[in-house]
Amino acid sequence: MLIFLRVLGESFNFAINALKNNLLRTFLSLLGVTIGIFSIIGVLAAVDSLKNEISGSLSSLDNSTTIVMRFNFGPTDIPRWKWQQFPDVTYDEYQFLKRNLPDAKAVTFTQNVPAETIKYQDASSLGVTVQAVGSEYYDIEAINIEEGRFFNESEAASGSPVIVMGSEIAENLFGSIDPMGKQVRMYGRKFTVIGLLKKEGSSMFGPSKDSQVFVPVNVTRRIYGENNRSIFPQIMIKPEADVDNAEFLAVLEQRLRTFRGIKPGEVSTFFVNQLKGFTEMIDNITGTLNVIGLVISGFSLLVGGFGIANIMFVSVKERTNLIGIQKSLGAKNKFILFQFLFEAIILAIIGGAAGLFLVWIATLIASNFTGDFDFVLSFGNIMLGTTVSALIGLISGIIPAISASRLDPVEAIRTGM
């Protein structure tokens, strides 16, 4: 163990001397490793940050949450012209599934309606995102109520004029006034504020709940009707935790096909989407980005590897006499081999550390320019960058190290004189 520490210490000193004595040459040789590590870890950090943001945005919904609608989340074999003619899901279909779908923990009907202006006395909020949902939406998506409550099943079924507000909308309309029990105007009628949501911050997937309001879906059904193609109704379903996912989806599709009178062999005129499929699609996209980044970065690392090999061959030539003296004093081939291998690894790690430093600087700059989207250089990526650097040094230094270890001591001393 002591001899390895001694070899490591000497190798570190030789690596530092190489940097000091041939600064420009060493800098240019290590530049490939620096750029390669910067490229690889930069791409991985960006992809990881994107995945973290997506996971945070979707964290309020369970991956098993199922959405039935006339659109599909991802690619489909059904021609575009055909699925564009699919009918919207209806409130009657929602009620049918609610009564007849086994293993469903919660079922709700929602509508994506246009933004609306909300007024309270002289104050108003323009372009507010209105979420028209049923009462069981509260059981499907994690909605954090800071004050008050969400509307109940009776209020949802009757289309009571009640509203649950995001913190940003409440602040715009009421300022420091407690909004609970106050009445606001929307759709030409009065709505009573019964709930206030906790502040959650911005989201990369559209507006956060801070700038949204929730109203019973039967309010908007009366306003927009059932056959308005500009409104996108959905049936959201959360299955029981221990249910077989494939069987649940099969039963769901078959029940709705039966309700619509779709014959065997005919294409279903609806799509059953699951967030699990959406997250898998995101994983595929980020995986592809990682592969592209690795391929591009590989060329830089290849150049960096040749640069380190060049440094080590020059180092062997410059220290031929010293190698001969060490061997004549009893140094074994293994000692010389490890000495040059460690030196190559240390040089590569120095180049990689410079690349990681540049990634860290880039994440700080990018985070400042992208607001609430945080670019993060994780500890795992730092360790990966260091490991890749060490491997590049090991591979690049193996041939020079072997050639140094095999030098004849007499010839080495004579050549170096």
Side-chain angles (χ1 to χ4, degrees):
M1 185 65 183
L2 290 176
I3 191 170
F4 277 103
L5 292 176
R6 178 187 165 193
V7 172
L8 185 61
E10 290 183 0
S11 301
F12 182 78
N13 290 331
F14 281 127
I16 297 301
N17 287 331
L19 285 172
K20 289 180 179 179
N21 299 332
N22 303 283
L23 188 60
L24 181 60
R25 184 189 70 189
T26 307
F27 169 76
L28 292 175
S29 299
L30 295 183
L31 189 59
V33 176
T34 300
I35 295 174
I37 294 300
F38 173 79
S39 303
I40 290 178
I41 304 304
V43 170
L44 293 178
V47 170
D48 287 349
S49 300
L50 178 62
K51 290 178 71 173
N52 290 340
E53 183 68 16
I54 292 172
S55 299
S57 299
L58 298 179
S59 61
S60 60
L61 288 171
D62 191 278
N63 271 353
S64 63
T65 299
T66 305
I67 302 175
V68 184
M69 58 192 303
R70 62 182 169 97
F71 295 112
N72 197 41
F73 280 177
T76 176
D77 295 332
I78 302 174
R80 181 184 179 88
W81 65 266
K82 191 169 187 177
W83 61 254
Q84 282 185 329
Q85 297 177 3
F86 286 175
D88 280 318
V89 294
T90 66
Y91 193 77
D92 289 339
E93 290 170 340
Y94 147 71
Q95 290 183 313
F96 170 77
L97 291 176
K98 184 176 174 63
R99 293 191 305 267
N100 297 282
L101 185 63
D103 298 318
K105 184 175 182 179
V107 185
T108 191
F109 187 76
T110 73
Q111 284 184 324
N112 292 334
V113 297
E116 186 64 27
T117 297
I118 304 179
K119 297 181 179 180
Y120 175 72
Q121 296 180 355
D122 295 332
S124 62
S125 279
L126 306 177
V128 177
T129 301
V130 179
Q131 296 281 8
V133 300
S135 60
E136 290 190 30
Y137 187 84
Y138 184 81
D139 300 314
I140 295 176
E141 181 166 3
I143 297 178
N144 297 316
I145 302 289
E146 183 175 46
E147 189 177 357
R149 60 179 177 84
F150 204 72
F151 41 83
N152 56 40
E153 187 172 357
S154 175
E155 291 168 329
S158 63
S160 299
V162 292
I163 188 170
V164 177
M165 285 190 168
S167 59
E168 184 179 318
I169 305 300
E171 185 177 344
N172 290 342
L173 293 176
F174 299 99
S176 59
I177 302 173
D178 185 2
M180 297 302 300
K182 302 293 190 299
Q183 290 188 325
V184 297
R185 292 194 67 84
M186 184 173 63
Y187 299 123
R189 63 188 71 182
K190 293 181 180 180
F191 287 78
T192 302
V193 180
I194 62 169
L196 181 64
L197 303 179
K198 287 184 179 179
K199 188 176 182 64
E200 66 175 23
S202 63
S203 168
M204 69 178 294
F205 291 101
S208 71
K209 293 185 184 68
D210 296 341
S211 58
Q212 297 178 0
V213 297
F214 291 82
V215 299
V217 69
N218 281 339
V219 171
T220 58
R221 285 182 63 229
R222 293 181 188 135
I223 295 171
Y224 293 102
E226 293 282 359
N227 300 313
N228 192 329
R229 296 291 282 185
S230 64
I231 306 302
F232 305 116
Q234 306 169 15
I235 300 173
M236 297 183 67
I237 306 165
K238 183 177 183 179
E240 296 287 354
D242 58 348
V243 70
D244 182 271
N245 188 62
E247 183 179 347
F248 177 79
L249 295 179
V251 171
L252 166 60
E253 183 170 6
Q254 187 56 49
R255 294 288 165 90
L256 190 50
R257 283 177 61 90
T258 302
F259 187 84
R260 288 195 172 187
I262 301 173
K263 298 177 181 179
E266 293 181 346
V267 176
S268 296
T269 56
F270 57 88
F271 289 105
V272 178
N273 300 289
Q274 205 165 42
L275 289 182
K276 185 181 297 183
F278 179 73
T279 54
E280 288 174 355
M281 182 180 69
I282 294 297
D283 288 341
N284 290 334
I285 293 173
T286 53
T288 302
L289 291 175
N290 281 337
V291 171
I292 293 173
L294 290 173
V295 170
I296 295 174
S297 306
F299 290 105
S300 297
L301 289 175
L302 184 62
V303 173
F306 282 119
I308 291 176
N310 178 64
I311 293 177
M312 298 312 300
F313 276 120
V314 172
S315 183
V316 170
K317 186 176 181 180
E318 290 177 344
R319 285 156 42 196
T320 300
N321 180 262
L322 179 60
I323 295 170
I325 294 173
Q326 286 179 317
K327 284 199 165 189
S328 65
L329 294 176
K332 296 182 179 181
N333 290 352
K334 184 170 64 174
F335 181 89
I336 304 298
L337 175 71
F338 283 127
Q339 186 180 76
F340 281 89
L341 268 184
F342 287 155
E343 183 178 343
I345 291 172
I346 291 168
L347 284 171
I349 290 176
I350 291 172
L356 290 172
F357 177 75
L358 292 177
V359 174
W360 178 67
I361 295 296
T363 58
L364 294 180
I365 296 173
S367 296
N368 288 332
F369 278 98
T370 53
D372 293 308
F373 184 88
D374 291 327
F375 284 89
V376 180
L377 177 58
S378 66
F379 177 75
N381 283 333
I382 292 174
M383 292 305 299
L384 177 62
T386 304
T387 302
V388 170
S389 301
L391 286 174
I392 294 297
L394 178 64
I395 295 170
S396 303
I398 188 69
I399 295 178
I402 290 175
S403 66
S405 66
R406 290 179 176 176
L407 287 175
D408 180 83
V410 176
E411 289 295 326
I413 294 174
R414 183 183 301 166
T415 303
M417 293 178 65

